[in-house]
């Protein structure tokens, strides 16, 4: 939230300065306004402060973008006696989906995997058939996914979040 606010402030200030510089370059601008704008931009002590603030905000965004690229890893890494094992999020996602495929009340399911400091957080988006008891089926999904991933991959599952997307989609009819 702070970064978004800083980005908004940064963008507005840069847009204002760009507009002012464009006005300075226009030949039909009255000389008195042009001189006042020139003095304000190039010879004002407050401009030094604003320039320093803009530079600090720009540096923050530069470091923030490079930091996100370094931490954007799509696998879980486990160390063994022999070496490293990397298990991709797609593999964990496939394992989670295969643990749910035998639940009769589930019509369609999608999974998303997030890493939270070495622990896996799994988000399941499910469409249930008509008549399914949503809390019971959701708990069953959570337990199956957690147990199956922890036994097959040996990765700690922090949480399994179930989003129920649609519950009565089997009775939809196409009109047209």
């Amino acid at each position: 939230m702070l970064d978004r606010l800083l980005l908004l402030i940064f963008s507005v200030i840069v847009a204002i300065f760009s507009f002012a510089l464009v006005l300075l370059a226009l030949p039909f601008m009255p000389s008195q306004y042009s001189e006042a704008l020139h003095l304000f931009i190039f010879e004002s002590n407050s401009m030094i402060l604003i320039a320093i603030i803009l530079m600090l905000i720009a540096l923050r965004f530069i470091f923030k973008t490079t930091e996100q690229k370094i931490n954007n890893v799509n696998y879980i890494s486990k160390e063994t006696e022999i070496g490293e094992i990397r298990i991709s999020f797609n593999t964990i996602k496939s394992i989670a989906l295969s643990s749910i495929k035998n639940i009769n009340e589930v019509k369609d399911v999608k999974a998303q995997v997030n890493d939270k400091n070495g622990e896996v957080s799994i988000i399941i988006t499910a469409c249930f058939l008509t008549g399914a008891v949503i809390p019971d089926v959701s708990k069953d999904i959570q337990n199956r996914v957690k147990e199956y991933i922890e036994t097959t991959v040996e990765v700690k599952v922090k949480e399994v979040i179930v989003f129920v997307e649609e519950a009565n989609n089997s009775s939809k009819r196409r009109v047209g």
Side-chain angles (χ1 to χ4, degrees):
M1 190 66 172
L2 176 66
D3 286 336
R4 287 184 181 182
L5 180 64
L6 285 175
L7 183 60
L8 176 67
I9 292 169
F10 182 77
S11 300
V12 168
I13 292 172
V14 168
I16 290 170
F17 279 115
S18 299
F19 182 70
L21 290 176
V22 167
L23 287 178
L24 278 176
L26 295 176
F28 56 83
M29 188 167 173
S31 63
Q32 61 188 13
Y33 295 127
S34 179
E35 289 174 18
L37 193 58
H38 184 278
L39 287 174
F40 179 71
I41 291 176
F42 296 110
E43 297 180 17
S44 172
N45 289 335
S46 61
M47 282 299 116
I48 295 172
L49 180 64
I50 292 174
I52 290 172
I53 291 171
L54 288 177
M55 184 180 67
L56 290 174
I57 293 173
L59 288 174
R60 175 176 170 81
F61 288 131
I62 290 169
F63 288 123
K64 189 79 170 172
T65 56
T66 56
E67 174 186 301
Q68 286 176 349
K69 289 180 183 177
I70 292 171
N71 292 334
N72 192 9
V73 179
N74 292 324
Y75 59 85
I76 297 289
S77 179
K78 296 181 62 85
E79 290 292 328
T80 64
E81 306 85 39
I82 303 171
E84 180 183 23
I85 299 173
R86 293 182 181 176
I87 303 166
S88 72
F89 286 173
N90 287 335
T91 302
I92 296 171
K93 179 177 158 182
S94 297
I95 292 169
L97 292 174
S98 68
S99 69
I100 301 171
K101 70 179 178 182
N102 293 332
I103 301 176
N104 294 330
E105 293 88 353
V106 177
K107 181 177 181 182
D108 187 32
V109 66
K110 298 173 191 162
Q112 180 182 347
V113 180
N114 297 321
D115 180 25
K116 294 188 176 181
N117 299 327
E119 295 179 334
V120 174
S121 173
I122 300 171
I123 301 170
I124 302 292
T125 305
C127 296
F128 292 162
L129 294 174
T130 304
V133 181
I134 293 174
D136 293 342
V137 177
S138 298
K139 288 177 190 172
D140 188 24
I141 289 172
Q142 288 175 321
N143 290 329
R144 284 187 188 203
V145 168
K146 180 176 173 56
E147 289 173 13
Y148 199 59
I149 288 176
E150 286 181 347
T151 55
T152 57
V153 184
E154 295 181 357
V155 171
K156 176 84 171 119
V157 177
K158 181 177 183 178
E159 62 185 350
V160 178
I161 300 169
V162 177
F163 285 118
V164 179
E165 195 169 72
E166 296 179 27
N168 295 321
N169 58 0
S170 63
S171 63
K172 285 186 178 177
R173 294 204 174 126
R174 209 172 175 177
V175 180

